[in-house]
Amino acid sequence: AVGDAVEALVLTGLGRSSIAYTIHGHDAGAEILCASLVNCIASKKTQKTIPLPADMRSKMEMYLALCQVARQ
C-alpha cells in the first residue's frame, strides 16, 4: 500500500552510468511486490548520461558483490 516500506533493494548490475536493481516487499510473509528497475545518472545541464562518480561506484560495487553472494 502507499506508504509501506520496501524491505529489500538488491543491486543487480552497474554500467558506466546505469544502476540496475530489484526491490521486494512482503506482507505477512508473502511477497507482494517485486520490481526490476534501471536508473541512469545524467547531467542536469546537458541531459546526457555521465559516469557514476568514483566514490559512489566503489560503494555500490561492494554492495553488488554482497548481493551476488546472497543470490547464490
Side-chain angles (χ1 to χ4, degrees):
V2 175
D4 286 350
V6 171
E7 293 179 7
L9 187 146
V10 179
L11 199 57
T12 57
L14 287 175
R16 183 186 80 85
S17 59
S18 62
I19 305 163
Y21 56 97
T22 301
I23 57 173
H24 299 273
H26 297 84
D27 183 28
E31 186 170 68
I32 58 169
L33 167 70
C34 179
S36 295
L37 305 160
V38 178
N39 290 88
C40 69
I41 305 298
S43 166
K44 288 182 183 180
K45 289 181 182 178
T46 66
Q47 300 294 307
K48 295 182 188 243
T49 60
I50 58 174
L52 288 168
D55 60 330
M56 181 187 290
R57 174 176 287 284
S58 65
K59 291 174 184 172
M60 293 184 110
E61 285 174 342
M62 288 188 288
Y63 185 61
L64 176 60
L66 291 172
C67 290
Q68 289 171 335
V69 168
R71 288 193 320 242
Q72 293 178 356

